[in-house]
Amino acid sequence: MSFSVRCMDCGHLTAYHPNEINCPQCNSQWREAIYDYTEIAKALPGVLAGRSFDLWRYQELLPIARVQPALRMGEGGTPLIRATNIGTMLGCNNIFIKDERQGPSASFKDRQAAVTIAALKEAGITEMVAASTGNVAIAYSAYAARAGIKLWAFVTSLVPAVKMREIALYGSQVVKVTGSYDQVKKIAADFASQRGLYLDMGARTITSVEGMKTIAYEIAEQLTLEFGRDRLAPAQGPGWRTPDWYVQAISGGLGPIGVTKGFLEMRQMGFIGASGTIPAIACIQADGCAPMVHAWKQNLDDASPVVNPKTHIETLATGTPGRAYKILRKKMLEANGLFESVTDEEAFRAMHVLAKMEGISAEPASAAAFAGLFKLAHAGIIKPDDVVVVNCTGHTMPAEPLVLGSSWARNVVLPSQEESPQEEGLLAALSRIAPDRFPRIAIVDDTADARRLIRRILQSQGEYTLFEASNGREGLELIQREHPDLLILDLMMPEMDGFAVLDALKADPETAQIPVIVSTAKELTPGEKGRLQGQIHALMQKGDFMSDEFLEEVKSLIR
Ligand SMILES: *Cc1c(COP(=O)(O)O)cnc(C)c1O
Ligand SMILES: [Zn+2]
């Protein structure tokens, strides 16, 4: 195995040693690992079939001399999951989730920790310092524990207490600093230099970038299993597929730096098509801490720091992106990528949608990527047939108080044995858990897909009792029987169209007051619009259902 370290500024080549962080020629700290790509291009495809699906299957492309079995925990090799329901909701056919929650410490930081700790162990390093918004310290702690390396973990006081306790459980020393993440990084750096300890350098850590790039390799292999060999790729290579989009929530930007490096290496080795096949990368930040997005939207090459991040999503609170922005911006410009931000509320809502529609419980930082996906799909930037991979970067941490509010559970308090015979007490208690009267909504639409979509969107956003009918006549009967709090009505239906249903409802005092949202697939003529005038509360174009307006409309009408 041979690799060298190349300076991104002056091109100087050296051997790798973790403690030498500056280029000996120009002092730059921005350097990357390079390999003998010609050799690897020949050898790697042939050996992959015999290797397990974890990140060490790409060991020739990792900056370590040999894989150390004692450190392995099954890092990498996470599933690529098709998100059918979210896809239907967005009108996109190929949404995939790279489920990084399934790593050993439940976030994609496992990759950087596994590779970095392996390299430190190889170099005989026994003590290290890292600043973290939580997950880096958890992942490093787990691997450091296996490697017998002592970790000093500097975290901001905003990191949830459970995360801090997990870091401590692995035997790391937690140092809790009340201050911004950027201040924490400064203190950690001072501490490390005072003691002469190895310091994690964030996005400048060569081994971490290499760990992250394995996400790209895995995605390419997994998409090839899904769709078959890419016929546009060079004939002598493995013909791997690449997505059109890779979407990730970012803080320091290490993930996308690594992922782009992975795709560029694959291109250089002829594993994927020669041009135009590097995915566009969408880097999503939280509105309250979006220095890269601000700079990107103003077309600037440097991002000014956000000194006081205003987001509840502490995992994403890197206020000073430094050089990482410049590097990413260059890559984004080359491959049609972009930076976008979402509000905390959008991220929390996406967290709900992801859990309720796909059965995936992800932390708010990961959910921000999904909120970004929703935004880009609505804006038409992500197209219906684009192959999109969203990185689900980490598992839910206790953000429930913020996300769920206080009424998420129903309490059952059983009376004691003496007070009443047990059977009776239990039944009485259970009868109290029966749902309250949820708002009742009728959906009348002749296409099953449209009904299903509206149902899923409503169910993912709140508690409703839903009724459905597939034509106007049935719909009218349903409404007369159930007296719903709201009607969502299609116009073009067989037997009795939406206009006729409206006329019948308005003529009957029992149903005249029921609010109506009309959904329509086509542009209405002025005459048709006139017929609806004063009869309905909102007119939605099909496809607009994920927009906030629809949900706000629903909420305001059933109040
Ligand atoms: C670290 C982290 C991010 C941000 O990743 P970067 O690529 O380092 O900016 C996103 N989500 C989760 C869960 C994280 O732990
Ligand atoms: Zn240099």
Side-chain angles (χ1 to χ4, degrees), residues 106-109 112 133-136 163 212 248-257 292 315-316 318 363 365-366 392-395:
S107 90
F108 77 143
K109 300 299 198 300
Q112 80 182 82
T133 54
N135 293 341
V136 164
K163 284 194 179 182
M212 288 304 188
Q248 193 206 298
I250 67 161
S251 188
L254 177 63
I257 290 178
M292 302 206 215
T315 307
L316 300 182
T318 298
E363 68 165 270
S366 316
C392 185
T393 44
H395 195 277

Side-chain angles (χ1 to χ4, degrees), residues 207-279:
T207 45
S208 294
V209 173
E210 297 305 286
M212 288 304 188
K213 87 181 178 191
T214 57
I215 297 172
Y217 284 89
E218 289 179 14
I219 290 173
E221 283 203 83
Q222 286 169 315
L223 286 179
T224 310
L225 279 178
E226 180 82 25
F227 294 108
R229 207 194 128 84
D230 182 355
R231 276 170 295 120
L232 298 175
Q236 66 278 15
W240 286 347
R241 296 235 175 212
T242 54
D244 298 300
W245 288 93
Y246 169 82
V247 185
Q248 193 206 298
I250 67 161
S251 188
L254 177 63
I257 290 178
V259 166
T260 0
K261 182 169 190 273
F263 284 115
L264 290 170
E265 284 181 352
M266 283 183 256
R267 181 163 83 184
Q268 183 174 350
M269 292 186 289
F271 289 3
I272 60 177
S275 63
T277 49
I278 301 296

